[in-house]
Amino acid sequence: NTAKVFIDVQDENDHPPVFSRKLYIGGVTEDTKIFSSVLKTVATDKDTGNFSAMAYRLIIPPTAEGQDSFVIEVYTGIIKSAIMFRNMRRSYFKFEVIATDEYGKGFSSRGEVVVSVVNALDMQVVVSTVPPHLVEEKKEELIR
């Protein structure tokens, strides 16, 4: 006799997330409105299905006012402003982003984020003319 046998091989959560960059650099202007998009973080995972679905969160040092300066959309990785940045030009914020696979229940990885407060003209320079590889190579000099 013969029989057909079907074997369903399922993935297990055995890979941690990996960020597309070690350091994300963005900028906001002094007149940036609350909940404006600042930058997008991206982490991927070699697993499949829900095991590769990310949940993002931020670890931000507390401000003197006690409120977070940025928030993140949990499932997209988009970082948004959470305060007004008036009279804060030439300031910067340094914090961490954490991606956790399996919708926040699995493995985690960390990335660094630096957001500068600049005037509108400087924003064009921050966003469009700094090559990512140069940022990586000079990150210690850029963040002081």
Side-chain angles (χ1 to χ4, degrees):
N1 284 336
T2 61
K4 283 187 178 180
V5 177
F6 295 95
I7 299 173
D8 183 21
V9 178
Q10 296 189 355
D11 190 17
E12 67 176 25
N13 192 5
D14 57 348
H15 294 95
V18 176
F19 278 98
S20 61
R21 296 182 183 172
K22 292 178 186 175
L23 174 67
Y24 291 89
I25 292 185
V28 292
T29 60
E30 293 176 288
D31 62 351
T32 295
K33 294 183 178 12
I34 294 177
F35 299 121
S36 296
S37 294
V38 177
L39 58 93
K40 180 177 175 72
T41 60
V42 177
T44 56
D45 187 313
K46 291 182 181 178
D47 292 309
T48 60
N50 287 346
F51 295 133
S52 66
M54 298 299 149
Y56 297 89
R57 64 187 173 94
L58 299 177
I59 297 180
I60 302 176
T63 61
E65 298 80 30
Q67 72 181 109
D68 288 339
S69 34
F70 298 92
V71 295
I72 192 164
E73 289 184 353
V74 175
Y75 299 116
T76 66
I78 296 172
I79 296 175
K80 295 185 171 190
S81 59
I83 61 171
M84 297 293 288
F85 300 97
R86 289 193 185 106
N87 302 317
M88 295 177 74
R89 196 167 98 187
R90 300 185 194 274
S91 304
Y92 73 91
F93 297 86
K94 183 178 178 183
F95 51 93
E96 288 184 305
V97 58
I98 297 176
T100 305
D101 63 13
E102 199 178 345
Y103 289 110
K105 294 185 254 175
F107 293 108
S108 296
S109 292
R110 295 171 180 257
E112 288 182 273
V113 179
V114 175
V115 179
S116 298
V117 181
V118 296
N119 67 32
L121 184 58
D122 292 339
M123 177 66 89
Q124 293 172 359
V125 174
V126 169
V127 173
S128 64
T129 63
V130 181
H133 73 278
L134 184 60
V135 170
E136 279 298 321
E137 292 168 8
K138 306 288 185 187
K139 101 174 161 179
E140 294 305 318
E141 294 172 34
L142 290 168
I143 306 169
R144 288 195 179 163

